[in-house]
Amino acid sequence: MPLTSPRLWIVATPLGNPGDLSPRAREILENADLILAEDTRRAAQLCRLCGIQGRRFLSFYDHNEAERQEEVLRLLREGRDLALISDAGTPLLADPGYRLVRACRKEGLPVSPVPGPSAPAAALSAAGIAPLPHTFLGFLPRDTAGREALLTAYAQVPGSLIFFERKDRLKESLATAARILGPRDLAVCRELTKTHEEFILNRLENSMDLPDELLGEITVIIGPPEVTERTPREEVESLLRAELARGGKARDVARRVQSAVRGWNGKELYALIPSARAISQ
């Protein structure tokens, strides 16, 4: 029987170990009229593993969220009980659903969380890297320019950075992070709660030493900025002038200088280039 009046339930599901499904989450899924899922096959498999039978599913993912929204809102208006789950962990943190929840709030339709497993929280709890403060970045952008822009924006933010990354982009992304963020602690957390769970602790500047093939789902934690003496501006401008003389695009010049200075991010160095160029002429 329903736990309360019909609503949209945001249900956290196991990262890998079915035993992590909470009794409350199980009850919600058993009683829901419909389960919204990124991958209905994976959702059905989870329900089978957990002994939840005869559930109805509706696909709800990035590319159909907009077209599904009105249908879901209609069902909620009719008094149906719906549960939203992601492929694993807590929905919305790096998955679709935000727009739907926002639309429900605007209409006064009830939405309730059913908390449970979360990959960022699980990784932080067992990695041994300072957990507070921290910033969760979700999945890094696929393109190099996008990753650079995002990491640069958070380069001076105090606290640890957490993000998800695909195994085939991991080393490239960590190399970009090392260049932009500088020396920091690093934890690569793989296959959380599963049989082959692994925490690889290293330094960001040594990330190229990681194995080439890391299988499974990966959560990355980069530790807080480390206190370093900032290279004096005069020295930075001198290096910029020398690199400008070597030639190349302004962005490339800033990258080369960043590897030779302390406490300056790429955006700051790029901003100094016009004055350095004017002095050298």
Side-chain angles (χ1 to χ4, degrees), residues 139 142 164-171 216 218:
F139 286 95
R142 295 182 180 183
F164 299 147
E165 187 53 285
R166 289 170 52 97
K167 59 185 180 182
D168 56 337
R169 287 199 297 262
L170 179 64
K171 278 198 167 184
I218 295 173

Side-chain angles (χ1 to χ4, degrees), residues 21-43:
L21 185 71
S22 73
R24 182 167 176 248
R26 175 191 295 275
E27 188 170 0
I28 294 294
L29 295 178
E30 285 176 339
N31 287 283
D33 294 306
L34 190 66
I35 297 174
L36 311 178
E38 285 186 273
D39 186 328
T40 56
R41 290 171 298 180
R42 290 184 64 168

Side-chain angles (χ1 to χ4, degrees), residues 31 47 74 158 172 197 221 228 235 241 249 251 272:
N31 287 283
C47 286
R74 176 181 58 78
E172 180 182 355
E197 175 183 275
I221 305 175
T228 57
E235 183 178 339
R241 289 193 293 273
K249 296 180 179 179
R251 188 180 298 275
L272 285 179

Side-chain angles (χ1 to χ4, degrees), residues 167 170-171 198 200 202 207-214:
K167 59 185 180 182
L170 179 64
K171 278 198 167 184
E198 183 178 21
I200 303 174
N202 207 318
S207 60
M208 296 310 292
D209 296 336
L210 291 171
D212 289 328
E213 292 295 330
L214 288 176

Side-chain angles (χ1 to χ4, degrees), residues 187-250:
V188 176
C189 314
R190 186 178 71 85
E191 292 290 82
L192 292 170
T193 79
K194 300 177 185 177
T195 302
H196 300 292
E197 175 183 275
E198 183 178 21
F199 285 78
I200 303 174
L201 306 180
N202 207 318
R203 295 283 299 175
L204 182 57
E205 61 269 29
N206 298 329
S207 60
M208 296 310 292
D209 296 336
L210 291 171
D212 289 328
E213 292 295 330
L214 288 176
L215 302 179
E217 305 293 331
I218 295 173
T219 303
V220 176
I221 305 175
I222 296 175
E226 298 181 354
V227 178
T228 57
E229 182 182 350
R230 187 174 168 93
T231 302
R233 175 168 174 153
E234 295 78 10
E235 183 178 339
V236 171
E237 290 177 333
S238 176
L239 288 169
L240 283 171
R241 289 193 293 273
E243 290 299 326
L244 284 167
R246 287 180 55 194
K249 296 180 179 179

Side-chain angles (χ1 to χ4, degrees), residues 4 25 35 43 45 61 86 155 169 178 191 251 256:
T4 184
I35 297 174
Q45 182 182 28
Y61 53 93
S86 64
R169 287 199 297 262
E191 292 290 82
R251 188 180 298 275
R256 297 199 299 262

